[in-house]
Amino acid sequence: MSETKMSTASNGSTGAQANDVYQKMHAENLSIYYGKFRAVAEVTVPVREKMITAIIGPSGCGKSTLLRSFNRMNDLVAVARVSGKIMLDGLDIYGTDVDVVEVRRRVGMVFQRPNPFPKSIYDNVAYGVKLNNTRIRKGDLDAIVEDSLQGAALWDEVKDKLKQSGTALSGGQQQRLCIARAIATHPDVLLMDEPCAALDPIATVKVEELMQELKKQFTIVIVTHNMQQAARASDYTMMMMMRSDRAGEMIEFDQTKKIFTNPRDKRTEDYVNGRFG
Amino acid sequence: MTSIPASVVRSPSARLGRALAHGDVPYRLITVAASIVLILLVVSFGLMLWITSAPTRTQFGLQSLISSDWNPSGEIFGSLPFVVGTLLTSLVGLAIALPFSLSIAIFLVELCPPRLRGPVGTMVELLAAIPSVVYGLWGLFAFIPAVVKPLGDFLLKLLGTPTNFIYLPFLSGPFFGTSIFASGVILAIMVVPSITAITRDVLLAVPAAQREASFALGATHSETISKVILPYGMSGILGAIILGLGRALGETMAVTMTVGNVSELPTSLLNPGYTMSSVIANEWGEARSLLHSSALLEIGLMLFATSLLLNVLARLLVWSVSRKNPDQRG
């Protein structure tokens, strides 16, 4: 694990003053239920602007469930409900008069497995843009598609085959296409649910490098099983564990450097050092 | 180096004995034989129809397809009115069934509360279990007088009268009730279950990841349905439509009872007509001459070939949807 500590130490972007950074989102006393089962219990956590916040923890501790509540994807599950608040720029996204479509436009998402539409590369990226702006001019749309593919570090590989199907790309390219698709609508926050879980090591490195570029523009929350990835790529880390009643709770949140070198909780130390999970 | 113990190694005859004892060989023989019989059956259908329809094929050739003169007593057999009647009734049926089937399938998969999905789906499928002769009776004595006749009269008055501002000749009279239109409507009810069931299965095969991707980009439910889910299942839905067309083309009893059975080339959908399957059913018993029965068999051959081709095409299309799930690619 010395490698982990080294790379964390070299991650200089998290200065001591980072705690003062604007809280783009924060969960307040958030619990998530599936029917009577409580999957996530009383989480309070900040998401700081233009920082990468990693959510780590053993399987089944509710990491993805928590992440999916940040853009209300859990609404698609009929029996899911939440209590508590998730604030986005001071507004509770679960508030009564909030438009869920608007929430998802401002909080984009990249999934565990690349899921491009069986449409052309161009149409994949243009999809979300055209939803919000049906009368967009062709030239403007072309520019957004190019910018987004540039932003996802995919442009050079696909600029000559924009009409080809997005599903014909390699797994790593598909995932970057999904990132391009997500940033094309200029969300404020980008949620990434184990975005490298289905990728090979080289594609994983590319996505991690890409995240460092993306955080200049976007606030990122990433769920990961990969300790090295959390240590290398994130500024803040939130550690979750399953309680005895099977509900996931947050046991520690801090700057990534601290979580990986000097955690307060013994369980965090054991987990990041690979003693369980 | 570990060698395999001698007790595990068996001589070929011992292996055969074991296969026989466990029923592998008889099992394989029975299943293979049953499959071969089925293939032979399809081949013999085609062959029998081809051979027995030889007299009219040699005497009239393609003439029987483009002539609308069907006169059994005069030994003249032009089957164009039946071909046209079959196509028109099927297309009218499909055009009416399609919006209903798509709506029901989308409702069942996307909007229906899970508790209702089973019962509603079963009700739709039960429509397919009603014998077609019952559809014919119901059509003739209930549906045509109560719905088709008033509707047809309305269309005739509104659009089918030459003196009107808008005049559509294919909706002109005379209209008596039994007609191509009436058969089409009843065919629509009969093919809705099969198109709905297959479309539902196709929509259910659309991966959840596709839905999520669309929702996560800020799409509404209706945008997700029309821009992601339906396009993803499009080839399968096309297959469902073609399968429905195949059913409508071959449907006999209900159509025979409601189409009017007039062997003239129809000029309007409200006219009575005749279909390929109906003429076979109606005239088979009185086909005394070789040429007459040969002409009916030739119509049978055309029906057989068309339905076979349509079914193969439809199944290829449906199959292509379940195969193209991108999650399974590298």
Side-chain angles (χ1 to χ4, degrees), chain A residues 77-92:
Chain A
V77 182
V79 295
R81 65 189 173 82
V82 301
S83 71
K85 286 178 183 171
I86 295 181
M87 309 301 283
L88 170 63
D89 284 334
L91 188 77
D92 183 7

Side-chain angles (χ1 to χ4, degrees), chain B:
Chain B
M1 282 287 265
T2 52
S3 59
I4 302 163
S7 61
V8 177
V9 184
R10 290 214 169 120
S11 68
S13 62
R15 256 185 281 147
L16 180 65
R18 186 167 161 273
L20 275 171
H22 286 257
D24 275 1
V25 171
Y27 190 78
R28 181 176 300 181
L29 282 179
I30 290 169
T31 51
V32 168
S35 314
I36 290 175
V37 166
L38 204 78
I39 295 167
L40 286 179
L41 216 57
V42 175
V43 173
S44 86
F45 269 132
L47 220 57
M48 181 276 294
L49 288 169
W50 181 258
I51 293 167
T52 51
S53 63
T56 36
R57 274 191 296 112
T58 46
Q59 181 157 347
F60 299 105
L62 283 177
Q63 185 65 35
S64 68
L65 272 181
I66 51 173
S67 159
S68 55
D69 189 6
W70 179 269
N71 181 357
S73 52
E75 298 273 279
I76 296 168
F77 300 102
S79 49
L80 188 62
F82 315 122
V83 176
V84 170
T86 293
L87 287 178
L88 286 181
T89 49
S90 302
L91 291 179
V92 169
L94 217 53
I96 298 172
L98 201 54
F100 279 98
S101 304
L102 280 186
S103 307
I104 299 169
I106 290 170
F107 171 75
L108 285 175
V109 175
E110 295 293 328
L111 307 169
C112 181
R115 267 176 308 150
L116 279 179
R117 189 178 290 163
V120 176
T122 310
M123 292 262 272
V124 174
E125 277 164 38
L126 276 180
L127 280 180
I130 300 172
S132 73
V133 65
V134 178
Y135 270 107
L137 282 175
W138 172 75
L140 203 55
F141 294 112
F143 195 60
I144 289 180
V147 177
V148 175
K149 186 75 170 81
L151 188 65
D153 283 335
F154 175 72
L155 287 173
L156 186 65
K157 205 181 274 178
L158 190 72
L159 301 166
T161 313
T163 50
N164 281 5
F165 181 63
I166 307 171
Y167 169 56
L168 302 174
F170 62 87
L171 289 175
S172 61
F175 177 58
F176 311 109
T178 53
S179 57
I180 288 175
F181 176 64
S183 280
V185 177
I186 286 165
L187 279 177
I189 302 170
M190 295 179 74
V191 299
V192 158
S194 41
I195 301 183
T196 305
I198 297 166
T199 305
R200 178 196 57 194
D201 293 346
V202 164
L203 295 183
L204 283 173
V206 177
Q210 293 282 316
R211 276 187 187 84
E212 290 192 335
S214 174
F215 280 119
L217 288 164
T220 63
H221 202 161
S222 57
E223 285 166 339
T224 301
I225 292 170
S226 63
K227 294 185 167 128
V228 171
I229 294 171
L230 289 181
Y232 191 98
M234 194 43 80
S235 56
I237 295 169
L238 211 62
I241 295 167
I242 294 175
L243 226 52
L245 180 65
R247 254 208 90 184
L249 288 179
E251 175 48 43
T252 309
M253 207 58 221
V255 172
T256 307
M257 293 165 82
T258 55
V259 78
N261 300 330
V262 173
S263 62
E264 276 167 27
L265 208 57
T267 56
S268 152
L269 295 180
L270 298 179
N271 289 167
Y274 220 149
T275 68
M276 294 160 82
S277 52
S278 306
V279 75
I280 297 175
N282 278 335
E283 296 194 1
W284 184 250
E286 61 202 51
R288 300 272 178 258
S289 76
L290 178 71
L291 219 51
H292 192 182
S293 59
S294 163
L296 293 176
L297 284 158
E298 191 183 345
I299 294 174
L301 177 67
M302 287 191 282
L303 263 182
F304 171 76
T306 324
S307 340
L308 205 65
L309 278 176
L310 284 178
N311 268 283
V312 170
L313 184 64
R315 290 194 191 279
L316 282 176
L317 285 167
V318 172
W319 174 69
S320 75
V321 171
S322 42
R323 202 179 48 113
K324 81 173 174 189
N325 190 336
D327 286 357
Q328 286 158 8
R329 294 200 185 170

Side-chain angles (χ1 to χ4, degrees), chain A residues 100-102 104-105 127-128 131-132, chain B residues 213-220 223:
Chain A
V100 63
V101 166
E102 178 64 14
R104 294 193 188 128
R105 204 189 61 71
Y127 181 82
L131 291 177
N132 298 310
Chain B
S214 174
F215 280 119
L217 288 164
T220 63
E223 285 166 339

